[in-house]
Amino acid sequence: SQTIHQWPATLVQPVGSPLSLECTVEGTSNPNLYWYRQAAGRGLQLLFYSVGIGQISSEVPQNLSASRPQDRQFILSSKKLLLSDSGFYLCAWSVKGNTEAFFGQGTRLTVV
Amino acid sequence: GQQVMQIPQYQHVQEGEDFTTYCNSSTTLSNIQWYKQRPGGHPVFLIQLVKSGEVKKQKRLTFQFGEAKKNSSLHITATQTTDVGTYFCANSNSGYALNFGKGTSLLVTP
């Protein structure tokens, strides 16, 4: 069966520090991968999606970036965090041709 | 991506009462999906609707897709405390990624 791993679960980082969140999927190959952000009490905002290795589409311009170095690995990064980057970051995957999304447990990021 | 609007933003009901959340779009949707997010948890897929006028049921949950494919609803009959959470609709007109509504947060009081 397929599983998605996302870590860390919680993270407190100072303003201006770098960020690296990792997500891996097991039990499937060539998935579509997604990063969403959810501000407190708000909806889910699509940040990036990827249909293959090295292919990244950005939905919202900001100081975050994403990379897909391997088929089932998706990384969210920032060189310098802002206070406004605080939120709940969710990685998700879907099968090619199907947009039903399976979410990881999420990372709760607090920038202080 | 196509934006979907959800109402209400919040709903507080007594256990046993019914609950409905609505999802609306100004343009035709190719499909609509519904997700549930428990407090502190991650969204979990509930169902996908693709046909005009489609109605699907999952126990006490009834999902409808409008005839014009511009709106959808989720109705819960006789709510229970386990129904607490935020319900999101989402669509994928782009074919690659889902765009979510802002969600309806349901609170059920015993």
Side-chain angles (χ1 to χ4, degrees), chain A residues 13 25 37 40 42-43 50 60 64-65 68 74 94 96 98 103 107:
Chain A
Q13 291 284 100
V25 181
R37 177 171 63 196
R42 305 290 296 279
S50 172
V60 183
L64 299 172
S65 62
R68 185 171 177 174
F74 207 22
S94 68
K96 283 283 187 297
N98 188 337
F103 285 85
T107 296

Side-chain angles (χ1 to χ4, degrees), chain A residues 32 34 36 38 41-46 48-49 51 59 88 90 94 97-106 108, chain B residues 1 9-10 31 33 35 37 40-45 48 86 88 92 94-103 105:
Chain A
N32 288 336
Y34 312 92
Y36 285 89
Q38 185 175 33
R42 305 290 296 279
L44 291 99
Q45 178 187 35
L46 177 64
F48 302 95
Y49 68 91
V51 300
E59 291 291 304
F88 191 39
L90 290 151
S94 68
N98 188 337
T99 53
E100 174 187 338
F102 301 92
F103 285 85
Q105 300 294 319
R108 207 163 296 278
Chain B
Q9 188 175 359
Y10 302 99
N31 61 74
Q33 297 183 18
Y35 290 76
Q37 184 178 24
H42 60 280
V44 175
F45 174 81
Q48 176 170 275
T86 300
F88 293 97
S92 61
S94 68
Y96 290 114
L98 290 169
N99 289 292
F100 284 79
K102 293 190 183 299
S105 294

Side-chain angles (χ1 to χ4, degrees), chain B residues 4-36:
Chain B
V4 288
M5 309 299 292
Q6 271 189 267
I7 54 171
Q9 188 175 359
Y10 302 99
Q11 186 81 57
H12 183 184
V13 301
Q14 291 289 120
E15 191 172 22
E17 293 180 336
D18 292 356
F19 160 76
T20 304
T21 174
Y22 300 91
C23 183
N24 300 303
S25 171
S26 58
T27 61
T28 302
L29 302 169
S30 59
N31 61 74
I32 197 82
Q33 297 183 18
W34 287 93
Y35 290 76
K36 177 183 178 180

Side-chain angles (χ1 to χ4, degrees), chain B residues 32-101:
Chain B
I32 197 82
Q33 297 183 18
W34 287 93
Y35 290 76
K36 177 183 178 180
Q37 184 178 24
R38 294 183 185 274
H42 60 280
V44 175
F45 174 81
L46 294 177
I47 210 159
Q48 176 170 275
L49 306 172
V50 296
K51 297 178 182 177
S52 169
E54 190 170 13
V55 178
K56 289 188 177 180
K57 292 190 176 185
Q58 291 179 350
K59 298 182 180 179
R60 295 177 294 103
L61 277 61
T62 301
F63 304 84
Q64 289 188 307
F65 202 8
E67 293 290 342
K69 299 183 73 174
K70 291 184 177 181
N71 56 72
S72 179
S73 65
L74 158 59
H75 179 82
I76 303 178
T77 303
T79 55
Q80 300 175 358
T81 55
T82 53
D83 295 324
V84 165
T86 300
Y87 293 85
F88 293 97
C89 65
N91 82 296
S92 61
N93 274 17
S94 68
Y96 290 114
L98 290 169
N99 289 292
F100 284 79

Side-chain angles (χ1 to χ4, degrees), chain A residues 10-26:
Chain A
T10 59
L11 190 60
V12 180
Q13 291 284 100
V15 169
S17 63
L19 173 74
S20 181
L21 301 180
E22 189 164 344
C23 171
T24 60
V25 181
E26 295 179 359

